Amino acid sequence: MDDSDTVAIIAEDLESSDSSKVCFCFKVPQNKRSPPCSCPFSVTVEPVMFLSTFSIALQMPLYTQYLWDRISEDVGYNGTKGGGCNASTVQDPLQKEVETLTAHWSLYINLGGFVVGLIMVTLLGSWSDHAGRRLVLIIPSLGLAVQATVYLIVMYLKLPVFWFLIGRICSGLSGDFNAILAGCFAYVADTSARGSRTFRVAILEACLGLAGMFASIIGGQWRRAQGYINPFWLVLATNLATALYAYLFVPETVTPDPEAKLLSTRHHQAVYRLYASEAPQGRRTKLWLYTLCFFLVVSVHFGCSDLYVLYELSAPLCWGPELIGYGSAAKHLAYLTSLMGLRAMQCCLEDSWVALVGLTSNIVGLIVFSVANTTTLMFTGYGLCFLFMASTPVLRSKLSKLVDPSEQGALFASVACVEGLCSLVSNGVFNSLYPATLHFMKGFPFIFGAVILFIPAGIIGGLGCQEKKESRENREGSGIS
């Protein structure tokens, strides 16, 4: 058997009673399309995740700051350009207007992209079961490159901020970043054992954090030195490099069907059957409950992340681009600390309890953010969130383990669809809640997010106890027989 035709997966089965390592080898069918080049390192989709996240994390804070500056210029507010923003307890009416308009425009632009992306990511994710995973990595990367091009044109020509919506819709038509997430996680499900899947998923999510950390540090310093345009040229180049890498180096794990059609109702039907079927007994209930938990957790993540920059730009913090970059880097560093914490906790805790520890870290951090009125307190909140990403890889892994290998594409298509819905809902709720509560408590949206997280914590804890009981009964039944 030729090395290029063999995929070896060596994983430690964390769920088995012994600690032996099992090697799974399978022969890749000859009719699978191999990439033109072979990667010299033992990586597959990790660079795709890293590069895509780098481009997103680089542009998002800069994009929000650009909206703030353009809107400030339009209304005649220069509080962040002159002697710094007014840190007094009296709210500047112009600053409040800028905050409100920036939050609303961010909502409108993101809504346009996410509504389109919500439809496309479901098609692309399920389509990858038949057409192959590589296409679902390449197409969204090219769409993100088109979005970056539109943003550059807006900045060069100083077009109205409405044109940002055109760029977001172009990205949404290609599946947006959520389609890349779906393709990468489905790829990992194709090539991982059940026992190692949680950690493999956590590695991918750590790539999210590592890329975000670098992008945040670079973005803040670069914007301060050269403005907005040059960083967005790097965003464009990074997205093109992602598509090129996926085409050249990522091996295919699915036998492509030349007759597979993208625009087909079969993709939506596959997702419907996944959540409608009760076989095996109890699967449907667990799928819905874990999906609800995932929706709530990710919605809080997305919603609060959108507000950090606005919260830090305005009084009383009045952060500049450099501090905003460091703050965003601290937030993304939690992806790495969550990975290390997850690996350590798996030695003595089941996955459900690992997720509960992660949710506790998130809740405590959000409470601190809600009352942060100094730089020290804000960074304390970031520090307390050091395990906040330990819950999402557990939820992805539990969902993946509930379905058959042949259903992984449909599952992660639905998960990607849920992530798109999370973005849609969180942008609508949190970006509307922030300006509406400025007059009585600026940090109220963070308190709201912390309260919401108690719901998935209760569900995960309940299902964890039920699964432990079922496992004990199965072992006792086997002993009796």
Side-chain angles (χ1 to χ4, degrees):
M1 184 182 295
D2 189 90
D3 290 341
S4 63
D5 293 332
T6 305
V7 178
I9 306 168
I10 302 176
E12 183 174 356
D13 191 348
L14 300 175
E15 297 179 342
S16 61
S17 58
D18 59 3
S19 59
S20 61
K21 291 189 176 182
V22 184
C23 180
F24 300 89
C25 298
F26 59 91
K27 186 176 178 63
V28 177
Q30 295 298 323
N31 58 344
K32 286 188 180 178
R33 289 176 286 184
S34 299
C37 305
S38 59
C39 184
F41 307 104
S42 300
V43 294
T44 50
V45 294
E46 289 83 2
V48 174
M49 183 71 84
F50 180 90
L51 292 172
S52 295
T53 307
F54 180 85
S55 71
I56 294 294
L58 181 61
Q59 70 178 314
M60 287 308 294
L62 298 178
Y63 154 78
T64 305
Q65 291 176 76
Y66 182 84
L67 279 178
W68 175 283
D69 287 347
R70 281 293 302 275
I71 293 172
S72 296
E73 184 179 341
D74 291 342
V75 303
Y77 175 69
N78 61 355
T80 57
K81 295 180 180 179
C85 69
N86 183 8
S88 68
T89 56
V90 180
Q91 181 79 30
D92 186 336
L94 280 179
Q95 178 184 310
K96 184 176 180 180
E97 182 180 358
V98 170
E99 285 184 303
T100 302
L101 288 174
T102 303
H104 284 168
W105 268 111
S106 179
L107 169 63
Y108 303 148
I109 292 167
N110 286 323
L111 277 177
F114 290 137
V115 167
V116 177
L118 189 66
I119 299 171
M120 290 305 300
V121 73
T122 309
L123 290 174
L124 287 168
S126 186
W127 180 58
S128 70
D129 270 344
H130 310 283
R133 307 290 186 210
R134 292 171 64 203
L135 285 173
V136 183
L137 303 178
I138 295 171
I139 294 173
S141 299
L142 295 176
L144 288 169
V146 172
Q147 174 184 287
T149 303
V150 174
Y151 284 11
L152 281 168
I153 293 172
V154 172
M155 293 175 188
Y156 271 114
L157 301 180
K158 291 193 174 181
L159 299 175
V161 294
F162 166 79
W163 286 92
F164 279 120
L165 177 61
I166 305 301
R168 289 293 293 119
I169 290 176
C170 290
S171 178
L173 287 172
S174 68
D176 204 38
F177 181 61
N178 285 328
I180 295 177
L181 291 178
C184 288
F185 286 116
Y187 196 101
V188 164
D190 291 339
T191 58
S192 64
R194 288 175 59 87
S196 63
R197 191 163 301 164
T198 301
F199 187 65
R200 285 289 307 278
V201 169
I203 289 175
L204 273 186
E205 295 204 353
C207 290
L208 296 172
L210 187 62
M213 183 175 60
F214 284 127
S216 300
I217 296 174
I218 293 171
Q221 299 281 6
W222 202 353
R223 181 261 184 229
R224 186 177 185 181
Q226 297 184 349
Y228 296 102
I229 290 178
N230 286 343
F232 270 88
W233 275 111
L234 180 58
V235 170
L236 173 60
T238 302
N239 287 316
L240 293 175
T242 304
L244 185 62
Y245 171 86
Y247 173 74
L248 291 177
F249 296 109
V250 176
E252 185 57 81
T253 59
V254 174
T255 303
D257 180 2
E259 298 182 357
K261 295 180 180 180
L262 174 60
L263 301 178
S264 172
T265 58
R266 64 187 289 190
H267 306 310
H268 296 289
Q269 291 171 357
V271 175
Y272 171 78
R273 288 194 299 269
L274 183 68
Y275 282 87
S277 174
E278 182 64 20
Q281 185 68 28
R283 185 186 79 162
R284 181 174 60 187
T285 301
K286 290 182 179 179
L287 272 175
W288 279 106
L289 287 175
Y290 279 129
T291 301
L292 174 63
C293 292
F294 185 83
F295 170 78
L296 294 174
V297 172
V298 176
S299 292
V300 172
H301 288 176
F302 284 169
C304 292
S305 294
D306 286 343
L307 298 181
Y308 288 138
V309 175
L310 279 176
Y311 192 81
E312 294 159 357
L313 275 170
S314 56
L317 294 176
C318 302
W319 283 9
E322 187 174 0
L323 273 176
I324 288 174
Y326 288 136
S328 187
K331 180 185 71 175
H332 286 95
L333 182 63
Y335 284 79
L336 294 180
T337 56
S338 296
L339 172 66
M340 294 184 289
L342 182 145
R343 189 58 168 171
M345 288 187 289
Q346 279 187 324
C347 297
C348 55
L349 295 175
E350 295 181 357
D351 281 357
S352 295
W353 315 127
V354 172
L356 289 178
V357 173
L359 289 174
T360 302
S361 173
N362 199 355
I363 291 170
V364 173
L366 288 175
I367 292 173
V368 173
F369 287 140
S370 70
V371 297
N373 55 7
T374 65
T375 296
T376 301
L377 200 55
M378 194 69 187
F379 277 105
T380 300
Y382 283 125
L384 291 171
C385 284
F386 76 109
L387 289 175
F388 89 109
M389 286 304 299
S391 55
T392 50
V394 171
L395 291 171
R396 291 184 199 270
S397 177
K398 283 188 172 292
L399 286 167
S400 178
K401 292 174 184 178
L402 286 171
V403 303
D404 295 332
S406 60
E407 298 174 308
Q408 295 295 334
L411 171 72
F412 283 102
S414 66
V415 171
C417 183
V418 169
E419 287 195 74
L421 187 60
C422 289
S423 300
L424 181 71
V425 172
S426 65
N427 273 274
V429 172
F430 283 85
N431 279 291
S432 298
L433 190 63
Y434 181 74
T437 56
L438 278 173
H439 65 285
F440 71 89
M441 184 180 182
K442 188 173 185 178
F444 179 80
F446 299 126
I447 290 287
F448 176 75
V451 172
I452 291 296
L453 290 179
F454 279 101
I455 299 174
I459 295 174
I460 293 171
L463 288 177
C465 292
Q466 179 185 346
E467 290 168 1
K468 188 175 182 179
K469 180 181 178 180
E470 291 174 353
S471 177
R472 184 171 61 249
E473 290 175 352
N474 290 336
R475 287 197 302 269
E476 291 174 355
S478 300
I480 293 174
S481 58

